[in-house]
Amino acid sequence: HDTSFKVVQLLLPPLAAAPSQPSQLEPTVGRSGPPSPRRLEARLRLVAPGLLQSLQKVAAVCPSWARLTERDAWPAAHAYLFQEPGSKLELRQRYSESMQRILV
């Protein structure tokens, strides 16, 4: 369990902003509501594709890693991208909808 937790944890983006200037990819600590359109677009374009693919690969390794990913990693990825709690299904739906809006 320790190894699987560490692998999943390595895939997740940092959940606390660095003390220096926060980038478009870092979450805003203590901020409520959705990220700004610019911050969301940066996260969706630069982080989300690789993050989502990596989570799918980790979940495919074995049933225990799939459970860990389902329980912890997908909700953490949703919280990072959209700054609110969500499930794997909600993440996939919101990601798809958000990318369609960006490309229009």
Side-chain angles (χ1 to χ4, degrees), residues 28-74:
T28 306
V29 177
R31 181 175 176 220
S32 61
S36 70
R38 175 183 269 172
R39 185 177 300 265
L40 178 60
E41 182 175 354
R43 289 179 185 175
L44 292 175
R45 286 185 186 272
L46 301 175
V47 175
L51 175 62
L52 301 180
Q53 289 173 356
S54 295
L55 291 178
Q56 289 172 336
K57 289 177 184 177
V58 167
V61 170
C62 68
S64 65
W65 286 31
R67 285 189 298 276
L68 180 65
T69 305
E70 190 73 32
R71 185 188 76 217
D72 297 330
W74 288 110

